């Protein structure tokens, strides 16, 4: 906590005050292609901008194509050589996820980096078009399915290029306070016991569990792909539109803990690009340094159960 307040660098040489540009300084990503979900606004946009600055070919995956194209133009305005493309993706829709993956594969591009950044927060109870609670559907299930659909492409890329693939799941420190037991497998869609903050925390716990289980599976098969999760920090972005007043009040009392957007994108960019993390997988990062997540987030049995549960939800959605 003290390190976060003071901005003092940790073992990585970076800390809470570091920006995405600083943590990627000197890195050349000209041979890399990355997908950034939710890359059109907030820390996703800053992540896309900085990756493009480091010569990475960035695919912005976004639900709102108008906003995505505006984001592309804003990046190109200051970096005319940026390689930026946009593709439509609604993570709350299994069919949209499948369509995005098909469209991306049709481009016949390599895929080195997948940043599962998009998310929603503290929204009122709602079911997705597939009948799944919206925060769980958007923050976890869509990314779970998207990652599975793109894994073969990432494996092909890492094998043919010899360059390690990296998957980054954006989680949150909120993962420490989900519903009792972590994931409500039997009550995932129960409206009468829904609590928006606990549901958000549940989805962020799921992001870490997903990363850990996928990391284990990829290590088991010897794939040259790492999977890690990150907490970007407290940043006022459009993610907080459902709780703007509450967050402003909270920020007034905790102002020294909050980051700006360039600082908020730093940990994502560090984990996605920095050479010091070569071969590092199944870890959780905050302020560009490794931290230990909650006990539930380290529960291997829970991670395996979540994997099976998520697979069943996706399969059920595809049949409807």
């Amino acid at each position: 906590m003290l390190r976060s307040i003071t901005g003092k660098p940790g073992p990585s040489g970076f800390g809470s005050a570091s920006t995405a540009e600083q943590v990627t300084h000197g890195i050349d990503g000209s041979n890399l292609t990355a997908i950034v979900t939710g890359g059109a606004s907030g820390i996703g946009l800053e992540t896309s901008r900085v990756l493009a600055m480091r010569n990475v070919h960035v695919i912005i995956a976004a639900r709102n194509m108008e906003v995505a194209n505006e984001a592309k133009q804003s990046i190109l305005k200051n970096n005319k050589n940026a390689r930026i493309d946009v593709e439509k993706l609604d993570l709350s829709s299994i069919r949209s996820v499948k369509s995005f993956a098909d469209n991306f594969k049709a481009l016949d591009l390599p895929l080195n980096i997948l940043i599962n950044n998009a998310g929603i927060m503290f929204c009122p109870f709602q079911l997705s078009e597939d009948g799944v609670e919206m925060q769980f559907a958007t923050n976890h299930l869509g990314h779970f399915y998207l990652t599975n659909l793109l894994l073969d492409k990432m494996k092909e890329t890492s094998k043919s290029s010899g360059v390690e693939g990296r998957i980054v799941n954006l989680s949150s420190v909120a993962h420490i306070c989900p519903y009792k037991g972590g994931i409500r497998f039997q009550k995932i869609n129960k409206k009468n016991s829904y609590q928006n903050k606990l549901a958000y925390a549940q989805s962020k716990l799921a992001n870490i569990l997903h990363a850990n289980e996928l990391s284990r599976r990829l290590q088991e098969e010897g794939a040259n792909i790492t999977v890690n999760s990150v907490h970007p920090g407290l940043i006022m972005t459009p993610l907080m539109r459902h709780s703007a007043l509450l967050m402003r009040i909270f920020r007034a009392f905790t102002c020294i803990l909050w980051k700006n957007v360039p600082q908020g994108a730093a940990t994502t960019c560090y984990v996605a690009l920095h050479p010091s993390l070569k071969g590092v997988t199944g870890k959780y990062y905050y302020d560009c340094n490794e931290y230990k997540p909650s006990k539930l987030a380290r529960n291997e049995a829970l991670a395996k159960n979540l994997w099976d549960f998520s697979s069943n939800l996706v399969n059920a959605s595809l049949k409807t």
Side-chain angles (χ1 to χ4, degrees):
M1 178 67 77
L2 182 60
R3 188 187 293 160
S4 293
I5 294 172
T6 62
K8 182 179 179 181
S12 69
F14 304 110
S16 61
S18 301
T19 67
E21 288 191 24
Q22 290 169 342
V23 304
T24 58
H25 179 72
I27 297 174
D28 180 16
S30 337
N31 61 334
L32 303 176
T33 300
I35 291 174
V36 182
T37 70
S41 64
I43 59 174
L45 174 55
E46 178 68 359
T47 298
S48 298
R49 185 188 72 82
V50 172
L51 291 184
M53 175 185 287
R54 303 309 175 209
N55 302 315
V56 177
H57 182 182
V58 179
I59 313 298
I60 293 176
R63 183 176 56 83
N64 188 321
M65 291 302 287
E66 182 180 349
V67 172
N69 280 302
E70 288 174 358
K72 175 181 176 178
Q73 293 308 314
S74 73
I75 293 172
L76 287 170
K77 182 178 180 181
N78 297 301
N79 179 7
K80 64 180 181 180
N81 295 317
R83 293 181 293 160
I84 300 283
D85 288 300
V86 299
E87 293 287 341
K88 186 173 179 60
L89 171 64
D90 180 352
L91 284 158
S92 71
S93 164
I94 291 301
R95 282 184 169 76
S96 177
V97 173
K98 177 67 164 58
S99 178
F100 170 86
D102 288 343
N103 291 339
F104 175 76
K105 291 174 187 176
L107 297 173
D108 198 27
L109 292 171
L111 181 58
N112 306 92
I113 302 168
L114 172 61
I115 299 178
N116 291 321
N117 163 85
I120 56 175
M121 181 180 186
F122 299 170
C123 58
F125 180 83
Q126 183 182 351
L127 295 179
S128 71
E129 68 176 44
D130 303 300
V132 180
E133 187 275 307
M134 190 60 82
Q135 291 193 87
F136 189 83
T138 303
N139 296 351
H140 166 65
L141 194 63
H143 282 129
F144 172 83
Y145 185 43
L146 176 66
T147 304
N148 282 352
L149 290 175
L150 296 175
L151 264 183
D152 284 344
K153 173 57 74 173
M154 293 197 74
K155 291 175 185 176
E156 289 170 13
T157 301
S158 65
K159 187 173 181 179
S160 62
S161 66
V163 176
E164 174 185 87
R166 295 190 181 185
I167 299 171
V168 184
N169 279 5
L170 264 74
S171 180
S172 167
V173 70
H175 82 272
I176 66 175
C177 51
Y179 293 107
K180 184 178 180 180
I183 309 294
R184 302 200 311 171
F185 294 113
Q186 305 306 317
K187 299 180 179 179
I188 203 76
N189 299 325
K190 293 293 183 182
K191 182 178 182 178
N192 58 3
S193 56
Y194 174 80
Q195 296 185 53
N196 60 1
K197 295 172 185 61
L198 298 184
Y200 175 72
Q202 172 183 245
S203 71
K204 295 290 101 181
L205 171 62
N207 293 147
I208 301 177
L209 292 170
H210 170 222
N212 291 350
E213 176 62 11
L214 179 56
S215 172
R216 184 191 69 79
R217 288 171 179 247
L218 291 173
Q219 283 183 288
E220 199 172 72
E221 66 178 84
N224 188 23
I225 300 172
T226 63
V227 195
N228 294 290
S229 48
V230 306
H231 167 49
L234 294 170
I235 311 107
M236 188 65 75
T237 72
L239 179 66
M240 297 181 177
R241 58 187 173 273
H242 292 292
S243 54
L245 178 59
L246 174 64
M247 287 298 105
R248 287 193 182 97
I249 294 171
F250 178 59
R251 185 178 185 179
F253 289 96
T254 59
C255 57
I256 56 176
L257 295 176
W258 287 69
K259 297 181 178 183
N260 58 36
V261 170
Q263 293 168 339
T267 304
T268 301
C269 290
Y270 172 74
V271 175
L273 281 186
H274 205 277
S276 68
L277 267 68
K278 181 176 173 58
V280 177
T281 189
K283 305 299 182 182
Y284 171 73
Y285 286 84
Y286 173 41
D287 291 344
C288 300
N289 288 276
E290 182 185 338
Y291 281 81
K292 185 181 287 187
S294 70
K295 187 175 180 180
L296 280 172
R298 305 192 309 272
N299 187 316
E300 292 182 6
L302 184 60
K304 291 175 183 177
N305 288 341
L306 175 64
W307 186 282
D308 292 340
F309 179 72
S310 302
S311 295
N312 290 335
L313 279 180
V314 168
N315 290 336
S317 297
L318 290 171
K319 291 176 182 178
T320 57

